[in-house]
Amino acid sequence: MDALTAALKVAASGLGAQSERLRVVSENLANAQSTGNTPGADPYRRKTITFQSEVDRATGGSLVEVGAISRDPSDFPIEFQPGNEAADDKGYVKMPNVNTLVEMADMSEANRSYEANLQVIKQARDLISMTIDLMRNQ
């Protein structure tokens, strides 16, 4: 398999991984204020994603795969909201362990990585087109 095809496979695996990362971050942001339904119930727990490297047997290149999507074990912050349906007898509510600043930074990083992989695909496509044009002109 040629180097351009290998580059396309590596970049495509990066696109898939960053797309999944953006989905997880979006889910976290969407549930940043999701409390439990009953007093003392646990709210939404932040999800985290890990990646792992996998060797592609056909090209010998390292592809990126989603290793696991797991739950963040950190403690839930507690806020005083006596009118909330999830408030305990003292008026405190467990809030999700989602930090919107961290999620926004993670989203920005995932977006930049996605764009970088997309640029690799565009460059490889252009090189393949140029090669075909050179072969036609001979």
Side-chain angles (χ1 to χ4, degrees):
M1 188 169 283
D2 67 295
L4 290 175
T5 305
L8 285 170
K9 282 187 107 173
V10 170
S13 74
L15 284 175
Q18 295 306 324
S19 178
E20 187 68 16
R21 182 178 177 193
L22 284 168
R23 187 193 64 76
V24 169
V25 169
S26 297
E27 188 175 325
N28 288 340
L29 285 170
N31 289 293
Q33 297 297 315
S34 299
T35 61
N37 296 328
T38 59
D42 284 345
Y44 174 82
R45 187 171 287 278
R46 177 179 183 259
K47 290 183 179 179
T48 59
I49 188 167
T50 56
F51 300 119
Q52 64 186 24
S53 178
E54 186 174 304
V55 176
D56 182 33
R57 295 180 197 274
T59 63
S62 293
L63 305 179
V64 63
E65 299 283 329
V66 173
I69 297 175
S70 54
R71 306 252 180 209
D72 183 353
S74 64
D75 294 333
F76 297 117
I78 298 174
E79 290 184 9
F80 184 68
Q81 295 181 5
N84 193 315
E85 66 181 15
D88 62 12
D89 57 346
K90 296 179 184 176
Y92 289 97
V93 177
K94 290 181 187 177
M95 299 302 290
N97 59 349
V98 176
N99 183 334
T100 54
L101 289 175
V102 170
E103 299 301 325
M104 293 301 288
D106 202 23
M107 181 182 286
S108 177
E109 183 181 332
N111 191 36
R112 289 181 192 277
S113 295
Y114 187 92
E115 289 173 357
N117 283 303
L118 194 57
Q119 193 63 30
V120 168
I121 288 175
K122 288 178 183 177
Q123 292 292 323
R125 185 189 63 199
D126 290 346
L127 287 171
I128 290 169
S129 293
M130 288 171 32
T131 302
I132 291 171
D133 288 344
L134 285 172
M135 293 173 76
R136 260 192 223 142
N137 292 334
Q138 288 183 358

